[in-house]
């Protein structure tokens, strides 16, 4: 499932992840797989996406302005994306990077989703994910300087009753990354406050976010209120 470039990069990815809770996987899939999946996604966004313009209370009232595809729409319209999520080989590669067990999340609506930012001011505001890891496969990315970058503060806890987003962002450090189309990045998203910075002009940013759980994630009850507010 993982490309040869991906496998060869694992030692470097492990080092990046240890240092920054983030690793960018270049050429995540072979070219033909990337392009056929991109075509599937474009088709799905064209016909079956929903526009969201909301503020999410559990992450401190931060904004979401984008189009989304729900998990079930992707499951029916794509062959590759569900296979990536279900692949034991993919999880084994991720385990080599993070050095612990990586598990598929049991809560179906969060297994994978797709978002597309395209209008000026579209943004995926500051938040934490419900599970430990996000694997974000980038299909379209604006030029750096037009927004759409990943920004994060690593190693800060999410307390939904008192999220303290402004405080964490002000204290920082805020790390910024601008992963390339065709790459995927792995982020320890359950303990990294993160966002996609607002688009400063109309530009295309399209991705699929897979969610993976740690052993401890599955030991306690997860709340799914923020995703329920979106779908
Ligand atoms: O689009 C991205 O790079 C991040 C997406 C994200 O944080 C999420 O879907 O939870
Ligand atoms: Fe996230």
């Amino acid at each position: 499932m993982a490309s040869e470039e991906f496998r060869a990069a694992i030692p470097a990815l492990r080092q990046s992840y240890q240092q920054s809770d983030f690793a960018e996987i270049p050429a995540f899939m072979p070219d033909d797989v990337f392009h056929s999946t991109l075509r599937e996604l474009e088709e799905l966004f064209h016909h079956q996406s929903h526009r969201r313009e909301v503020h999410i209370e559990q992450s401190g009232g931060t904004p979401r302005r984008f189009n989304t595809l729900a998990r079930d729409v992707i499951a029916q319209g794509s062959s590759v994306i569900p296979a990536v999520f279900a692949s034991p080989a993919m999880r084994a590669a991720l385990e080599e990077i993070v050095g612990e067990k990586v598990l598929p999340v049991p809560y179906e609506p969060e297994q994978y989703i797709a978002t597309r930012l395209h209008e000026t001011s579209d943004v995926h505001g500051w938040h934490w994910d419900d599970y430990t890891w996000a694997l974000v496969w980038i299909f379209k990315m604006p030029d750096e300087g037009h927004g759409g970058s990943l920004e994060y503060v690593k190693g800060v806890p999410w307390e939904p009753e008192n999220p303290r987003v402004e405080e964490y962002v002000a204290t920082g450090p805020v790390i910024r990354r601008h992963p390339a189309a065709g790459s995927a990045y792995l982020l320890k998203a359950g303990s990294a406050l993160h966002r996609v910075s607002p688009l400063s002009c109309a530009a295309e940013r399209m991705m699929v976010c897979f969610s993976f759980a740690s052993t401890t994630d599955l030991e306690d009850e997860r709340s799914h209120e923020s995703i329920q507010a979106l779908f």
Side-chain angles (χ1 to χ4, degrees), residues 37-47 140 206:
T37 309
L38 173 58
R39 279 192 296 274
E40 288 175 343
L41 281 173
E42 284 178 325
E43 187 72 11
L44 291 173
F45 270 108
H46 189 65
H47 295 288
K140 295 184 183 185
M206 191 184 285

Side-chain angles (χ1 to χ4, degrees), residues 124 127-129 134 189 194 209:
H124 192 153
H127 68 282
W128 290 261
D129 289 7
H194 58 283
C209 179

Side-chain angles (χ1 to χ4, degrees), residues 113 124 127 129 136 185 194 196 205 207 209:
I113 56 155
H124 192 153
H127 68 282
D129 289 7
V136 177
Y185 72 78
H194 58 283
V196 177
R205 187 187 192 280
M207 65 76 177
C209 179

Side-chain angles (χ1 to χ4, degrees), residues 44-155:
L44 291 173
F45 270 108
H46 189 65
H47 295 288
Q48 299 193 63
S49 70
H50 291 282
R51 182 77 185 159
R52 303 293 174 211
E53 296 189 0
V54 293
H55 289 79
I56 302 288
E57 200 186 311
Q58 293 79 12
S59 44
T62 54
R64 308 287 182 277
R65 283 176 55 88
F66 48 50
N67 285 59
T68 62
L69 293 176
R71 183 264 184 213
D72 288 349
V73 168
I74 301 170
Q76 278 159 26
S78 167
S79 51
V80 171
I81 293 164
V84 170
F85 177 77
S87 163
M90 178 60 63
R91 290 200 304 279
L94 299 178
E95 284 171 357
E96 284 186 57
I97 299 171
V98 304
E100 59 179 297
K101 199 83 196 144
V102 172
L103 301 162
V105 316
Y107 181 67
E108 284 199 348
E110 289 203 46
Q111 292 178 339
Y112 40 87
I113 56 155
T115 69
R116 171 179 176 236
L117 281 64
H118 66 118
E119 293 177 6
T120 305
S121 303
D122 273 8
V123 62
H124 192 153
W126 293 106
H127 68 282
W128 290 261
D129 289 7
D130 286 337
Y131 294 93
T132 296
W133 295 289
L135 176 67
V136 177
W137 186 3
I138 304 284
F139 285 87
K140 295 184 183 185
M141 196 66 178
D143 289 340
E144 204 164 352
H146 291 170
S149 300
L150 169 74
E151 297 178 336
Y152 70 99
V153 180
K154 74 182 179 88

